[in-house]
Amino acid sequence: MSGTFRRLACTVTVATQAVLVPAPAAAQPAAPTPPRSVSRLLTDLQQLYRQTEQATETYNATAEQLTKQRAVVSRLDGELARARLDLQDSRTDAGRLARQQYQSTGGLGSFARLLLAPDPEQALDEGHVLGRLARERARKVSRLTGAEKRHDALARAARTALDTQLTLADRQRAQRDAVRAKLADVERLLAGLTPQQLAAVTTLEQRDVAQAQQKLTTAGALPTARAASPAGRRAVGYAMAQLGKPYAWGTQGPASYDCSGLTSQAWGHAGTAIPRTSQEQWKRLTHVPLTGLRPGDLVVYFPEATHVALYVGDGKVVQAPRPGARVTVSPLASYPVLGAVRPDQAPATDPR
């Protein structure tokens, strides 16, 4: 935390000082703003970080929807192209059939030819052949009708899918702008802090985390030592190999991660695909009590499930904490705990 605050504050403070212009001598000085307490500063920063991460996870969910929708559009485009070729072939067959019918309209009808034929039996045989031809022509007409209907249905579906894709892309851009605005709010607040305030905020946050961790310990809510599953060990190994890499919103590695980007990639490399966002991880994975945690399980934070970390044992998690920070090992109680989930266990076989 302290390194995060100092890095961001120094960067923004230097930029702010570079553009300051002295006020005209005649201007009346503004009334001084009462200084905020250290606890208030910490609360404000935590609120901004939480809002930023919530906006990030919303952006991530839309990005995942957009990826899936692009696949739908691509599939429908391929089906539509094949339907166009099929329709073209059907129309070619229908044109050939129309020419044949036109050329055979002259002369006697089939019943008259049968009555006047020198060999009625042979005429009957020819009639069977004509019947087969008629049925074949009926099939060609039916195929043309079906091809036209399929082509039209696919064309409508493709247009709808493309409209959905464009809507998602617009939503993603708006959510991207919302994340950037929240990050700017964080930077502005940090830029106004003195080194003494930064140090005091860091100390207060560390004290609060220690107290929260102790509270879980006293309540017997922290897990006892449990062995990880083979996949859990692989997930922990991957996450620990990312230590020191920066947090960056909307990223899934390998150079940087956001919180759910780290957990989803860790389990993906362990051979188990899990949802991209913390909300979906909380919603769709098997819930386990904190006392039953084993390494590799995910700890989800805040009532809205907007942050997630990977449990590594001994009451600690590995996580991509927030903007300006790096992947690190932290106490499990670094943030308000919502609950925990297990990626490699289906609800139906949960032994709890």
Side-chain angles (χ1 to χ4, degrees), residues 186-215:
V186 173
E187 291 175 352
R188 278 192 293 271
L189 179 54
L190 289 173
L193 300 183
T194 65
Q196 293 79 12
Q197 286 174 316
L198 286 171
V201 167
T202 299
T203 300
L204 179 59
E205 183 182 44
Q206 291 172 345
R207 188 194 71 186
D208 288 349
V209 170
Q211 289 177 347
Q213 189 83 356
Q214 182 59 42
K215 185 177 180 180

Side-chain angles (χ1 to χ4, degrees), residues 15 23 34 67 73 88 92 95 121 132 150 158 260 290 306 341 348:
T67 298
V73 170
Q88 182 178 348
T92 299
E121 185 176 349
R132 285 197 298 272
R150 175 170 171 75
S260 57
L290 290 183
T306 51
V341 293

Side-chain angles (χ1 to χ4, degrees), residues 7-8 12 25 53 57 60 64 72 92 96 113 128 135 182 214 225 244 263 313 319 345:
R7 283 192 299 274
L8 285 174
V12 180
E53 196 148 45
E57 290 300 279
N60 290 339
E64 189 174 29
V72 171
T92 299
R96 187 180 303 113
R113 286 198 300 271
H128 287 303
R135 287 191 293 274
K182 292 299 180 185
Q214 182 59 42
T263 55
Q319 61 175 325
Q345 185 168 288

Side-chain angles (χ1 to χ4, degrees), residues 43-174:
T43 299
D44 290 346
L45 275 168
Q46 289 175 336
Q47 181 68 17
L48 287 173
Y49 280 127
R50 181 177 172 183
Q51 291 172 353
T52 300
E53 196 148 45
Q54 188 169 4
T56 297
E57 290 300 279
T58 301
Y59 170 91
N60 290 339
T62 301
E64 189 174 29
Q65 286 181 283
L66 184 56
T67 298
K68 293 177 180 178
Q69 191 62 30
R70 284 174 177 151
V72 171
V73 170
S74 178
R75 175 179 59 79
L76 287 173
D77 283 346
E79 291 184 14
L80 182 58
R82 290 189 292 273
R84 283 174 178 151
L85 291 176
D86 189 39
L87 179 58
Q88 182 178 348
D89 291 343
S90 296
R91 284 174 174 165
T92 299
D93 288 343
R96 187 180 303 113
L97 174 61
R99 288 192 297 272
Q100 291 172 351
Q101 288 179 328
Y102 176 78
Q103 292 167 358
S104 62
T105 53
L108 297 173
S110 57
F111 184 66
R113 286 198 300 271
L114 174 63
L115 292 177
L116 299 177
D119 188 345
E121 185 176 349
Q122 181 182 355
L124 282 172
D125 291 340
E126 291 176 354
H128 287 303
V129 172
L130 290 173
R132 285 197 298 272
L133 290 175
R135 287 191 293 274
E136 181 181 351
R137 289 171 180 172
R139 284 193 297 269
K140 289 180 179 180
V141 171
S142 177
R143 180 187 172 194
L144 173 60
T145 303
E148 288 177 337
K149 289 181 178 178
R150 175 170 171 75
H151 174 272
D152 291 344
L154 282 171
R156 288 192 298 271
R159 285 193 297 270
T160 301
L162 181 57
D163 289 343
T164 302
Q165 178 180 318
L166 295 174
T167 299
L168 287 171
D170 289 341
R171 184 188 305 169
Q172 185 187 45
R173 283 191 289 270

Side-chain angles (χ1 to χ4, degrees), residues 190-256:
L190 289 173
L193 300 183
T194 65
Q196 293 79 12
Q197 286 174 316
L198 286 171
V201 167
T202 299
T203 300
L204 179 59
E205 183 182 44
Q206 291 172 345
R207 188 194 71 186
D208 288 349
V209 170
Q211 289 177 347
Q213 189 83 356
Q214 182 59 42
K215 185 177 180 180
L216 288 177
T217 303
T218 302
L222 286 181
T224 56
R226 290 174 179 265
S229 66
R233 283 195 299 272
R234 291 193 295 271
V236 170
Y238 178 89
M240 294 296 287
Q242 313 312 310
L243 289 176
K245 293 185 178 181
Y247 177 106
W249 67 273
T251 60
Q252 304 180 71
S256 61

Side-chain angles (χ1 to χ4, degrees), residues 336-350:
V337 176
L338 174 62
V341 293
R342 179 164 295 159
D344 59 341
Q345 185 168 288
T349 60
D350 191 344

